[in-house]
Amino acid sequence: MTETPAPKEVRRSPGRRFEPLPPWSGISTRLVHGGRRPDYNAGAVVPPIYQTSTFHWPPERSESSGRAEAYLYSRLTNPTVEVPAEVIRDLEGGEACRLFGSGMGAITATVLSLLRAGDEVVALDGLYGGTTDLLTDLLPRYGVRAREISEREARAPESVVGRDTRLAIVESPTNPLLSVHDLGRWAEAVHRVGAVLLVDNTFASPVNQTPLSLGADLVVHSATKYLGGHSDLLAGAVVGSASLVERIDAKGYFGSPLDPFAGFLLGRGLKTLELRVARHNENGRRVAEGLRDHPAVARVHYPGRGSAEEEAIAARQMRGRGGMLSVSLRGGAAAAERFLDGLRFVHVAASLGGVESLASVPRKTSHRHFSPSELTARGIDDGLVRLSLGIENTEDLLRDLVEALDAVAGPAEAEPGSPV
Ligand SMILES: Cc1ncc(COP(=O)(O)O)c(C=O)c1O
């Protein structure tokens, strides 16, 4: 029997013991078979859930001292959690991936690990509200300056990043207005001053867009959304080069690892990501078309719709436009309320990226911390409703949405039961 030497150190980044997949394998093949390891107990096809906080240590004291990886404590690494980490790393095309207990866990750990007093972070003013809160409430207390830039300024990133900029944070498409930004141009501008470009890729999903391939240094996800896909877990991911990811939460002091059971659910959800995103894309495209001319709708916000420039950027950097869109209703807040009241199966709830469609009012959910004037400055009007289109049948979805809009437009215009 050949003796495998006991590992000398704790592996903190995903191990490299996964069975390699043929280089020609497509996305769904990689999603289904990624993260396979030869050392699962009992030859299970589905990775077991290692629901344990700790492991025998030092490893030579355990019965299975010949195992490939040494684990010490689940706040640092856990074999169940390594599986989805490997799949997401592969999908985004990075060298390393770390998972956290939520998207905000990943974003906070990333930002706090990379910045120090005196640094400046440049951020789009259309970022997820929680990220904006972190940048504007917490960072100034530690001497880090956060500079928010408008949609218009963000069109010319070379004029907004400066000598003190250490980090730039961009989302594309943005939340909730679905604006599209040129990630390649951002990468060039940010690298010119030696800073790091962090892209929140939650809305697009790596099936539709891979920012690392466009020049970004790091990608974060609220894996709670499309990656998990079933609205039943909270998770966050950061992906990038091994050297950058190693710097993030290097000693596990943020204390927000992904729990093994949530890691199992995330791995299970990931297997169908490409199939789900294909339907989300189709529903997004057809609902954007279907609602555009409705009398109750002033404007549909959908990736690439903002301008010819945005359309060109979206066509270049996205493989699909996703299932997120927002509608500005002509009747303001009252119309938004009536619309939500009229929905039959679209849930009225915050969040996104699940198999079920959700509708929410950003003023009351993701952007509730902003003052009325801040909301207006960001283009978030009273009648704005954000839709996360699920994987329901497109005709059913359109019917539910159009009938609810008909009720908003008024009884005279509504034709109960009319086909869409
Ligand atoms: C774009 C985006 N990034 C990050 C987050 C935060 O993720 P989590 O809720 O998993 O902490 C959200 C949550 O809605 C989001 O929409």
Side-chain angles (χ1 to χ4, degrees):
M1 198 179 97
T2 30
E3 279 234 331
T4 313
K8 292 208 169 41
E9 59 184 53
V10 189
R11 296 293 302 251
R12 299 214 51 255
S13 52
R16 283 287 174 271
R17 300 288 180 154
F18 301 104
E19 289 179 12
L21 287 164
W24 41 260
S25 48
I27 292 181
S28 281
T29 306
R30 305 187 84 78
L31 288 166
V32 172
H33 295 287
R36 264 164 79 158
R37 298 170 54 144
D39 56 350
Y40 291 133
N41 294 337
V45 167
V46 175
I49 306 173
Y50 289 88
Q51 193 69 43
T52 180
S53 59
T54 193
F55 300 83
H56 286 111
W57 193 264
E60 51 273 25
R61 291 184 65 86
S62 111
E63 304 132 32
S64 54
S65 61
R67 67 195 191 280
E69 302 289 331
Y71 300 93
L72 170 62
Y73 190 56
S74 284
R75 176 157 49 76
L76 307 176
T77 24
N78 175 287
T80 310
V81 172
E82 282 183 343
V83 176
E86 168 60 10
V87 172
I88 296 167
R89 178 204 68 72
D90 179 50
L91 207 56
E92 286 288 5
E95 289 175 356
C97 170
R98 276 183 74 82
L99 296 182
F100 291 85
S102 70
M104 280 314 299
I107 293 167
T108 303
T110 301
V111 166
L112 291 181
S113 297
L114 298 182
L115 296 173
R116 60 171 67 164
D119 288 345
E120 176 187 77
V121 50
V122 162
L124 266 187
D125 73 2
L127 293 182
Y128 169 63
T131 309
T132 302
D133 288 343
L134 165 73
L135 301 182
T136 55
D137 291 354
L138 190 71
L139 290 193
R141 294 189 224 161
Y142 296 91
V144 174
R145 203 154 23 98
R147 192 147 60 87
E148 282 193 277
I149 54 164
S150 68
E151 284 281 331
R152 196 179 44 75
E153 292 173 305
R155 299 276 155 221
E158 32 307 300
S159 59
V160 295
V161 291
R163 222 162 24 94
D164 296 334
T165 309
R166 303 279 18 107
L167 180 69
I169 310 182
V170 178
E171 274 176 34
S172 182
T174 58
N175 176 26
L177 295 177
L178 292 312
S179 306
V180 175
H181 291 277
D182 187 339
L183 298 180
R185 185 167 168 181
W186 265 92
E188 245 185 83
V190 167
H191 293 157
R192 207 170 293 153
V193 298
V196 166
L197 176 62
L198 171 66
V199 175
D200 185 331
N201 203 28
T202 301
F203 269 41
S205 92
V207 173
N208 284 334
Q209 175 175 279
T210 37
L212 299 180
S213 71
L214 300 165
D217 302 289
L218 287 169
V219 165
V220 285
H221 277 280
S222 168
T224 311
K225 318 298 193 222
Y226 287 106
L227 301 184
H230 296 75
S231 307
D232 55 7
L233 62 91
L234 285 166
V238 57
V239 191
S241 67
S243 59
L244 265 180
V245 173
E246 192 60 36
R247 277 171 60 193
I248 296 164
D249 197 16
K251 295 189 172 153
Y253 28 47
F254 288 98
S256 60
L258 187 61
D259 172 77
F261 185 61
F264 167 79
L265 288 176
L266 177 58
R268 186 167 75 157
L270 277 166
K271 290 179 200 287
T272 54
L273 181 67
E274 189 184 28
L275 292 175
R276 286 186 280 109
V277 169
R279 176 62 75 89
H280 289 299
N281 288 345
E282 171 71 0
N283 281 347
R285 187 180 63 75
R286 289 191 48 199
V287 169
E289 276 311 305
L291 302 191
R292 194 176 55 178
D293 297 326
H294 195 283
V297 174
R299 185 165 170 200
V300 173
H301 306 267
Y302 178 69
R305 271 280 169 80
S307 65
E309 184 195 354
E310 283 188 58
E311 175 54 37
I313 298 168
R316 210 167 49 236
Q317 73 186 19
M318 299 184 79
R319 292 178 283 273
R321 306 289 169 98
M324 296 301 299
L325 62 85
S326 295
V327 284
S328 289
L329 301 185
R330 290 191 194 282
E337 277 305 313
R338 286 185 72 184
F339 175 53
L340 298 182
D341 285 347
L343 292 168
R344 259 192 292 204
F345 58 77
V346 173
H347 293 278
V348 179
S351 200
L352 63 121
V355 291
E356 63 288 292
S357 293
L358 306 180
S360 64
V361 172
R363 280 181 173 251
K364 293 188 175 168
T365 54
S366 59
H367 289 66
R368 65 190 180 284
H369 301 311
F370 293 104
S371 68
S373 61
E374 285 172 325
L375 290 166
T376 306
R378 284 171 166 77
I380 300 172
D381 59 79
D382 283 350
L384 191 77
V385 178
R386 191 184 80 176
L387 299 172
S388 168
L389 303 171
I391 63 164
E392 299 92 341
N393 295 100
T394 315
E395 296 304 332
D396 298 345
L397 204 44
L398 267 168
R399 183 175 181 148
D400 197 14
L401 294 166
V402 169
E403 287 182 5
L405 283 173
D406 289 344
V408 171
E413 290 170 52
E415 285 178 45
S418 66
V420 290

